[in-house]
Amino acid sequence: SGITVKKARDRNPAIVFVALTRPGQGTSVPPCGDEQLLPGDALTVAGRRSDLESIEFDLNDGASDTASSFSTCV
């Protein structure tokens, strides 16, 4: 959390950022680039499995102890 959608897109160019859902504020489709990702946000993305498997680690700035609920659909 704390990085913008644009920065996340730049770091993960093979992934399509589809939607950002923020509790109590609804869903942005597609998410605005200047939107800052916050704890509790649900980010919907699409891409190859290998790219998706690395995005959680990247979005957490490499922090493996950051709590999140990451899931994939095939």
Side-chain angles (χ1 to χ4, degrees):
S1 68
I3 68 171
T4 64
V5 171
K6 180 185 180 332
K7 185 173 181 182
R9 283 182 185 143
D10 291 346
R11 291 168 133 185
N12 302 278
I15 295 175
V16 176
F17 289 71
V18 179
L20 173 65
T21 303
R22 181 158 289 149
Q25 295 183 17
T27 302
S28 300
V29 180
C32 297
D34 61 348
E35 190 76 44
Q36 192 170 48
L37 300 174
L38 303 172
D41 287 350
L43 186 61
T44 304
V45 296
R48 294 183 309 227
R49 178 180 290 271
S50 59
D51 296 322
L52 295 175
E53 288 173 348
S54 66
I55 191 172
E56 179 184 27
F57 184 77
D58 182 52
L59 291 180
N60 288 329
D61 283 330
S64 60
D65 61 344
T66 303
S68 65
S69 57
F70 183 75
S71 60
T72 60
C73 297
V74 180

